[in-house]
Amino acid sequence: MTRVLIADDHRFFRSGVEAALASCGVEVAGSVSDGDEALLAIESEDPDIVLLDIRMPGLDGVSMLEMMRAKNDQRPVIILTAEIRDTELVRLMKAGVNSIVFKHDPDDELREAISAVEQGQRRIPGALMDKAFALAAQSEGETPLDLLTIKERRIADGIAQGR
């Protein structure tokens, strides 16, 4: 039986994930509210898969994945998120995230992600892969603001100054 650790700062959400996993025969090895607790739970519980919220108090999911990989911990990590910023996406891809599941997805998406990573596959939505490739193709110093026209840049500057 697959053992999964859940790390998310919303208790209500964790309860729902726990119920969804239990209904498909996945054992919840632990359920914690932040990245620091998750690191301790990984050491004590040794789960097969880690589910991480991207934004948590203290150590966030992206930093936690980077720390795990720096320690040569290659166990599968599935990121659970409501949204993802470009910088987070790039960091996750560089760190070797195994799957990304949106919190608004149906619960079968999570089950399919778990099944895929158990088999050594990555499961990342196509739109995110396309975005990651586009971000990787940008030159090092290029930011989304660099893609604006001069007029669009002036408008953005005015909005930033409250005009």
Side-chain angles (χ1 to χ4, degrees):
M1 178 179 288
T2 302
R3 300 180 71 245
V4 174
L5 172 71
I6 304 166
D8 191 292
D9 57 322
H10 294 98
R11 178 71 192 131
F12 186 71
F13 179 77
R14 283 197 326 266
S15 295
V17 172
E18 290 170 23
L21 294 178
S23 73
C24 63
V26 173
E27 179 185 342
V28 176
S31 180
V32 298
S33 63
D34 63 48
D36 297 314
E37 290 177 8
L39 285 176
L40 295 172
I42 287 171
E43 289 182 27
S44 65
E45 301 300 325
D46 193 28
D48 301 310
I49 298 172
V50 178
L51 305 180
L52 298 175
D53 184 8
I54 204 164
R55 292 187 197 102
M56 297 180 284
L59 191 60
D60 64 77
V62 180
S63 298
M64 196 177 145
L65 173 62
E66 290 169 337
M67 287 178 68
M68 289 173 65
R69 296 305 191 240
K71 293 179 181 179
N72 204 27
D73 184 342
Q74 297 301 315
R75 83 184 75 219
V77 172
I78 298 172
I79 292 292
L80 297 170
T81 187
E83 63 179 0
I84 190 166
R85 296 182 191 118
D86 291 352
T87 54
E88 293 166 332
L89 178 60
V90 169
R91 287 175 61 200
L92 287 169
M93 297 303 280
K94 284 181 178 180
V97 69
N98 300 87
S99 184
I100 299 172
V101 176
F102 287 99
K103 291 182 176 181
H104 60 269
D105 286 342
D107 60 355
D108 63 330
E109 281 295 319
L110 180 56
R111 286 194 294 268
E112 289 174 19
I114 290 170
S115 178
V117 301
E118 283 178 313
Q119 297 171 29
Q121 301 170 1
R122 291 178 88 181
R123 185 173 173 88
I124 298 171
L128 287 181
M129 289 298 289
D130 291 344
K131 180 127 188 160
F133 285 129
L135 291 168
Q138 289 180 351
S139 66
E140 286 265 332
E142 191 174 337
T143 68
L145 288 176
D146 295 328
L147 302 175
L148 297 177
T149 65
I150 294 170
K151 184 175 182 176
E152 292 168 332
R153 174 74 78 143
R154 275 190 251 142
I155 292 169
D157 289 339
I159 292 170
Q161 295 171 11
R163 290 188 271 145

